Amino acid sequence: MSFEKISVIGLGYIGLPTAAVFASRKKKVIGVDVDKKAVDTINRGEIHIVEPDLDMVVHAAVTEGYLKAVTTPEPADAFLIAVPTPFKGDHEPDLGYIESASKAIAQVLKKGNLVILESTSPVGATEQMAEWMAQARPDLTFPQTHGEESDIRVAHCPERVLPGHVLRELVQNDRVIGGMTAKCSEKAAALYKTIVEGECVITNARTAEMCKLTENSFRDVNIAFANELSMICDKLDINVWELIRLANRHPRVNILQPGPGVGGHCIAVDPWFIVSKTPDLARLIRTAREVNDYKPKWVVEQIKIGIAEYLLNNPHKTSKDITIVCFGLAFKPDIDDLRESPAVEVAKEILSFHKGRVLAVEPNVNSLPECLRQGVCLIEAESAVSDADIFVLLVDHKEFKEIPKKALSKKLIIETRGLW
Ligand code: SAJ
């Protein structure tokens, strides 16, 4: 089974690194994206997202002629779909991007092609994708009707890489391969084996879909446990970080860290794909989502209590005189990604009620997101330390660990990460 030409549909945080890694193994790769600007950027050998070392790999792949980006699909031997799967309405999965991607590649499919869905998807999405392609190409046969005899092989192989470590994890992590038939799995595994050093473990498409959702839900439930503990400990006047450190000394206890909430485009979204399929059964998974979604609101309540306390201790001041600084806006430490960030949500809320100045320190970005531009001032940590009255620590970026204890000693601090 040889794959001369591989096409990756969707050149975002997953698709672009995947395309670049295949290209670095001297495979001809065609990256497809509807965003013309992203396509032009990649064809210049540059990147439009932030991921360590990705710029070098893409630059080399483009200049050596192994990777090119286009806006409309071209024929290839294998197609990997890595488009977003957000939710809509009441947390219902939105398969719109998969639908358009599969209909677009259907036009160029040939007998013998392999189509892999990499996007995190609700159970049944791979079968649905195969159905969309079958409808668009009645001249070809697909696994749902022709089993092992089908012209086109279809599999789900969820991405599982951690932002910030994508290039390493793409190669080292095990891959779960869920073909619609055994031959579909076999062909998909042969493709991944050209780049993956981890094991390629074979299952069916539905199990592979559920496996990815399970991994992220597992993490969400465990973070919710830590977040719930943090709120309980606050009520009981117990330091939650000390508590977790102590409990984790038990050989079979491993509690995660509380924070201002769960951000990013995966862990805060994927559990809903399980809830939407089985709402009456997924009670714990839903509750975990609710606990984590409530956490930023709880942090805002703590800030309001902090302001009241500050005014009580400084009776000559009004709330207008109080400067609040948010340390960190990203959705997790040491990255520049502010999308779906609970820290941004907290900053936005502060802005909506606080009459005094609001500052933000975010060493990983040069400008604020649209929703904060009117009212929040982005400043350096040093100036914030001298100017602000209330410190809200929202992200445990490495730079914040270096702020001297002395500089914090007389400030009112609201800590969501246990760093200070
Ligand atoms: N968080 C906590 N406490 C913790 C750990 C994380 O509050 O102890 C928060 C983070 O601050 C962040 C959110 O959770 O706001 C998510 O961060 P993360 O580092 O747990 O995960 P992601 O979203 O960057 O990546 C996850 C990974 N999934 C798992 O670890 C099970 C990654 O492997 C997946 O590939 C990725 O989702 C994805 O694309 O689905």
Side-chain angles (χ1 to χ4, degrees):
M1 261 176 254
S2 77
F3 300 93
E4 300 300 322
K5 209 183 246 184
I6 298 162
S7 182
V8 180
I9 323 298
L11 296 173
Y13 281 86
I14 302 301
L16 183 57
T18 305
V21 169
F22 275 109
S24 72
R25 301 293 150 92
K26 313 236 175 288
K27 293 275 174 206
K28 280 262 181 215
V29 180
I30 304 168
V32 186
D33 202 291
V34 287
D35 180 352
K36 172 92 172 51
K37 245 174 85 186
V39 164
D40 292 342
T41 307
I42 294 162
N43 285 333
R44 283 197 306 271
E46 294 163 15
I47 60 174
H48 60 295
I49 54 175
V50 176
E51 180 60 39
D53 301 330
L54 182 64
D55 50 349
M56 285 180 328
V57 186
V58 168
H59 187 261
V62 172
T63 46
E64 287 167 21
Y66 288 105
L67 173 64
K68 78 164 182 180
V70 295
T71 52
T72 25
E74 294 178 10
D77 300 312
F79 295 86
L80 283 85
I81 298 185
V83 295
T85 37
F87 56 60
K88 57 182 178 190
D90 187 19
H91 303 112
E92 295 296 317
D94 178 359
L95 300 187
Y97 294 101
I98 298 180
E99 183 176 0
S100 18
S102 56
K103 286 180 174 168
I105 61 167
Q107 304 310 319
V108 295
L109 282 181
K110 300 184 305 284
K111 187 176 161 102
N113 278 172
L114 167 69
V115 180
I116 295 175
L117 179 62
E118 280 214 4
S119 313
T120 304
S121 300
V123 173
T126 308
E127 291 156 10
Q128 171 68 72
M129 178 188 78
E131 197 44 47
W132 279 319
M133 292 188 294
Q135 282 166 11
R137 289 297 300 274
D139 55 317
L140 292 169
T141 60
F142 289 82
Q144 64 271 33
T145 49
H146 289 69
E148 298 296 32
E149 307 307 316
S150 67
D151 293 333
I152 307 296
R153 304 290 186 207
V154 181
H156 180 56
C157 180
E159 63 79 14
R160 303 153 100 192
V161 288
L162 193 69
H165 302 267
V166 170
L167 288 175
R168 178 173 53 78
E169 290 209 351
L170 254 179
V171 174
Q172 289 180 358
N173 289 3
D174 292 345
R175 265 339 261 242
V176 173
I177 311 234
M180 282 182 69
T181 67
K183 281 196 178 144
C184 294
S185 297
E186 203 184 308
K187 189 153 185 161
L191 175 67
Y192 282 106
K193 279 183 184 151
T194 61
I195 58 162
V196 171
E197 286 167 13
E199 218 177 302
C200 291
V201 192
I202 286 175
T203 180
N204 58 43
R206 292 175 79 85
T207 310
E209 287 161 344
M210 189 62 181
C211 183
K212 170 61 195 256
L213 302 181
T214 300
E215 292 159 13
N216 280 355
S217 299
F218 172 85
R219 197 154 166 84
D220 197 44
V221 169
N222 282 283
I223 298 169
F225 181 69
N227 276 334
E228 186 165 291
L229 276 180
S230 74
M231 295 184 277
I232 293 171
C233 284
D234 185 74
K235 199 66 169 194
L236 302 180
D237 200 19
I238 291 168
N239 179 324
V240 70
W241 290 283
E242 185 194 2
L243 173 82
I244 291 174
R245 261 197 315 275
L246 295 176
N248 281 351
R249 284 181 168 246
H250 185 285
R252 285 174 296 283
V253 174
N254 188 9
I255 305 169
L256 292 177
Q257 296 300 305
V262 167
H265 340 288
C266 311
I267 295 195
V269 175
D270 305 348
W272 288 116
F273 293 177
I274 300 179
V275 176
S276 77
K277 283 269 169 197
T278 49
D280 299 336
L281 297 171
R283 285 157 54 199
L284 181 62
I285 296 172
R286 178 202 292 274
T287 304
R289 271 294 60 248
E290 286 166 355
V291 169
N292 286 333
D293 275 354
Y294 171 66
K295 193 69 196 287
K297 296 173 186 68
W298 184 84
V299 172
V300 171
E301 288 313 309
Q302 300 307 302
I303 295 167
K304 287 181 180 166
I305 294 170
I307 294 173
E309 197 181 306
Y310 185 90
L311 288 174
L312 212 63
N313 294 332
N314 299 275
H316 57 287
K317 288 198 177 181
T318 68
S319 63
K320 252 189 169 162
D321 306 317
I322 299 177
T323 299
I324 302 179
V325 56
C326 296
F327 279 90
L329 293 173
F331 88 82
K332 63 180 197 172
D334 307 322
I335 60 163
D336 70 331
D337 197 341
L338 309 191
R339 296 170 305 160
E340 326 297 337
S341 169
V344 170
E345 195 181 327
V346 170
K348 222 166 81 183
E349 268 306 303
I350 298 174
L351 210 52
S352 73
F353 71 82
H354 184 55
K355 296 188 182 66
R357 285 209 307 155
V358 182
L359 312 173
V361 182
E362 179 40 82
N364 302 297
V365 302
N366 300 319
S367 66
L368 287 168
E370 189 66 40
C371 62
L372 300 182
R373 263 177 226 158
Q374 291 283 325
V376 178
C377 180
L378 186 65
I379 64 166
E380 300 286 321
E382 233 168 62
S383 332
V385 167
S386 61
D387 288 7
D389 306 299
I390 297 182
F391 287 21
V392 185
L393 183 96
L394 295 169
V395 191
D396 40 347
H397 288 316
K398 58 181 187 308
E399 291 85 352
F400 302 158
K401 291 182 191 147
E402 285 148 25
I403 296 177
K405 283 242 155 35
K406 221 173 111 206
L408 304 169
S409 62
K410 290 209 176 67
K411 305 288 182 177
L412 199 153
I413 293 172
I414 290 145
E415 238 293 27
T416 69
R417 297 281 186 173
L419 189 77
W420 293 336

